[in-house]
Amino acid sequence: MTEHAVVISGAGPTGLMLAGELALAGIDVAIVERRPDQELFGTRAGGLSARTLEVFDQRGIADRFLEAGQIAQVTGFAVTRLDISDFPTRHNYGLALRQKHIERILAGWVGELAVPIYRGRDVTSFAEDEAGITIQLSDGAPLRARYLVGCDGGR
């Protein structure tokens, strides 16, 4: 049985970012993703906030997103646009960039960190015991982990 310290269910932006953070901390992490690749159909998130860009900058990956997106003043409140160009940050703007591109870039980064992604599989069940969790995948293969994190969307 394959073992990891942490298994993340879901290779969307949240799961990918968590996997990257854990890998940078030296933790053995893997992702289970039902999609066979990082392709997304339809429109989802449309951009990144200034704070997200700051976090990406701390990880040395902000330029990857900036090259793919379009800088814009996208911050607002109650349909009122807010100009944040004078905020004390290197990234005093938002970035227009569709989720399919955000995921593609994050998946590339996670790949560089050697995080395994079990693609084309679902988590079908799990059983917790005092030592960890046994995770059953849709292809019949089990995984073992200390922690299982659900990052598989709101549905």
Side-chain angles (χ1 to χ4, degrees):
M1 181 180 320
T2 304
E3 293 189 30
H4 299 282
V6 177
V7 170
I8 298 169
S9 176
T14 302
L16 290 166
M17 191 66 195
L18 177 59
E21 290 294 314
L22 292 172
L24 288 173
I27 296 170
D28 174 25
V29 59
I31 301 173
V32 176
E33 172 56 43
R34 75 174 48 133
R35 294 175 290 165
D37 54 41
Q38 213 58 47
E39 283 297 313
L40 261 183
F41 300 100
T43 302
R44 296 195 183 172
L48 300 171
S49 70
R51 181 62 188 134
T52 301
L53 291 168
E54 289 173 340
V55 171
F56 288 165
D57 205 16
Q58 291 171 336
R59 295 296 173 245
I61 59 174
D63 288 343
R64 300 174 192 204
F65 296 91
L66 293 171
E67 290 169 6
Q70 182 177 354
I71 291 174
Q73 287 294 330
V74 295
T75 303
F77 178 76
V79 297
T80 302
R81 290 237 179 248
L82 301 175
D83 180 5
I84 61 170
S85 62
D86 62 346
F87 277 22
T89 174
R90 287 177 27 143
H91 302 287
N92 53 0
Y93 46 80
L95 187 70
L97 184 64
R98 293 283 178 210
Q99 184 170 332
K100 67 181 183 178
H101 302 297
I102 295 167
E103 285 192 23
R104 176 182 45 80
I105 295 166
L106 283 173
W109 175 58
V110 166
E112 293 168 13
L113 297 173
V115 173
I117 302 179
Y118 298 97
R119 293 196 173 277
R121 301 173 217 182
D122 284 313
V123 172
T124 57
S125 65
F126 59 90
E128 185 176 11
D129 59 40
E130 59 280 342
I133 300 170
T134 301
I135 303 149
Q136 195 64 43
L137 302 182
S138 56
D139 66 354
L143 292 176
R144 184 82 179 148
R146 297 250 346 218
Y147 300 95
L148 171 63
V149 183
C151 295
D152 48 2
R155 289 171 262 144

